[in-house]
Amino acid sequence: MKAWQLAYPHNLQHVSVPDLKLSDDKVKVKITKALLTESDVAVYSGALKVKSPFILGRFAIGQVTEAGEDSFIKKGERVYLAGVTEDELSPNGLKIAGETSDGFYRDFVLAGVDDVYPLPASVSDEGAFLIDAIALAERVVDEMQITVGQHILILGGGLYANVLCQILIYHRAVPILADNNAERLARAKKSGIYYTFSNDETLKQNVLNATGGKLADGAVYLAYANRSEPSVLFPLVKRDAFVAFCAPTCKSIPVNLEYALKNNVTIKGITESHEFVSTAINLLANKAVNYSEFPYRSFKEEELPQLMKDYASLLDSGTNLPEEMDIVKFIF
């Protein structure tokens, strides 16, 4: 079996690893496509520490090639592989592919029956890589107890923020998207998001105008593709509001809590949403999210080392990764 293995930071090698032996409660999945993420690049560069040798890859889809008798999964099914799974032996009870355990940059994986999700024909391969963003949005709605008609301020206009706004609209809430990137705001408009404002000195007045002279009922900071000051949210929400901070597990967010304490704000920290994957797939299948405006590029798996090198240089220089989904095709 072949895998892309990190020997040490900045050294990604294509190596042979032991074959996998199927058990009754597992399925064997041929990886067909994987997503290149900021977390993968953080591991590659050494910013996120792992024990080498290590296989990267947080998100992937594949095809079931073998299924145990007790698996209830059919051979040949196209599936989404859970990036986060339950693990009683882990300190927080979770195992994260490509961060705390070997990931999906390889030709085959063994997975538990609860950790693979059959994909309906109506969900494309590209659409499947939005599952994490949609699941995160559903968790935000759940954790913040968002109700119909509430105005929710979103700071950060990358892909995760765009999806969150669309899910809020699906739940009949009113998103207000603020960002300092004109291209992302324009993409949000094309995706059907009505209130899109620059994150500058005019933001408070724009929030008041959108809410009929009131502050936002809640707010969310998306650390994905976002370098805005997170503390600006607190003066823009009502007293006793919920404010959520969402980020990959590898990312820290320094936050000034002065206004939060004054206004009795409840803060939620959200880094994963594995309990909402099935819901996300159902929403995708029912066209609840428009992703026609999201750019993506496809790469052959042999291009991984150069991609990692280029993206690690970008992060080292303080630059965000490109605003696109980079999908790697695995053909061994």
Side-chain angles (χ1 to χ4, degrees):
M1 192 177 82
K2 299 292 184 179
W4 287 97
Q5 195 173 75
L6 189 70
Y8 49 87
H10 297 279
N11 188 287
L12 191 64
Q13 300 176 352
H14 198 200
V15 300
S16 295
V17 294
D19 289 334
L20 302 171
K21 187 176 180 181
L22 187 69
S23 58
D24 289 342
D25 61 340
K26 301 283 187 181
V27 294
K28 188 175 183 179
V29 180
K30 167 71 176 73
I31 300 297
T32 55
K33 294 179 182 177
L35 191 67
L36 193 153
T37 70
E38 183 177 341
S39 297
D40 298 321
V41 180
V43 174
Y44 170 84
S45 67
L48 183 59
K49 304 300 181 184
V50 297
K51 185 178 180 180
S52 299
F54 190 77
I55 301 173
L56 306 179
R58 172 75 178 271
F59 303 113
I61 60 175
Q63 186 175 37
V64 176
T65 57
E66 296 181 55
E69 291 183 3
D70 300 328
S71 68
F72 305 105
I73 302 291
K74 297 179 182 178
K75 181 179 178 179
E77 280 195 289
R78 185 173 61 113
V79 296
Y80 173 81
L81 289 147
V84 178
T85 56
E86 303 283 349
D87 183 8
E88 295 179 355
L89 300 179
S90 296
N92 61 356
L94 298 174
K95 182 169 64 175
I96 304 173
E99 290 187 28
T100 62
S101 65
D102 281 334
F104 299 132
Y105 288 172
R106 42 180 160 167
D107 53 357
F108 290 98
V109 296
L110 286 183
V113 294
D114 295 329
D115 303 327
V116 295
Y117 297 83
L119 292 170
S122 57
V123 175
S124 68
D125 288 353
E126 291 73 30
F129 287 115
L130 294 174
I131 289 171
D132 186 66
I134 297 171
L136 185 84
E138 281 293 305
R139 184 172 178 191
V140 167
V141 170
D142 182 72
E143 292 274 353
M144 293 180 62
Q145 303 171 25
I146 293 171
T147 57
V148 174
Q150 284 192 320
H151 289 83
I152 307 299
L153 176 61
I154 313 299
L155 188 57
L159 184 149
Y160 275 72
N162 189 308
V163 167
L164 173 57
C165 288
Q166 293 192 54
I167 292 299
L168 287 170
I169 293 170
Y170 177 83
H171 287 284
R172 296 189 290 166
V174 183
I176 302 171
L177 180 64
D179 192 43
N180 50 16
N181 183 295
E183 182 181 346
R184 292 198 292 256
L185 291 176
R187 184 178 300 129
K189 280 285 188 185
K190 292 179 181 178
S191 299
I193 300 161
Y194 184 75
Y195 293 117
T196 59
F197 302 122
S198 296
N199 178 24
D200 55 23
E201 67 278 358
T202 67
L203 180 56
K204 184 171 184 177
Q205 188 58 51
N206 283 327
V207 170
L208 292 172
N209 292 340
T211 60
K214 301 176 182 179
L215 295 174
D217 296 296
V220 183
Y221 182 89
L222 275 299
Y224 307 84
N226 186 6
R227 296 183 183 276
S228 303
E229 167 54 48
S231 309
V232 302
L233 289 175
F234 298 129
L236 301 177
V237 297
K238 296 177 180 178
R239 184 171 180 81
D240 299 320
F242 284 99
V243 174
F245 291 89
C246 306
T249 53
C250 62
K251 206 163 194 174
S252 61
I253 309 175
V255 183
N256 184 333
L257 296 178
E258 179 183 357
Y259 276 98
L261 295 171
K262 287 179 180 178
N263 290 318
N264 201 36
V265 168
T266 298
I267 296 174
K268 297 282 187 177
I270 300 174
T271 60
E272 60 80 26
S273 48
H274 69 286
E275 295 177 357
F276 293 88
V277 169
S278 294
T279 302
I281 293 173
N282 184 58
L283 289 168
L284 267 176
N286 286 284
K287 312 299 182 186
V289 174
N290 169 25
Y291 54 90
S292 61
E293 297 299 325
F294 299 158
Y296 68 89
R297 294 192 299 169
S298 294
F299 298 90
K300 297 178 181 178
E301 45 100 6
E302 57 265 27
E303 297 178 82
L304 261 174
Q306 189 60 48
L307 274 173
M308 286 290 185
K309 181 179 179 181
D310 293 343
Y311 284 169
S313 296
L314 286 178
L315 290 184
D316 287 345
S317 67
T319 305
N320 287 325
L321 297 186
E323 292 275 321
E324 64 195 15
M325 291 188 289
D326 288 333
I327 298 172
V328 181
K329 296 182 178 179
F330 285 77
I331 304 174
F332 288 88

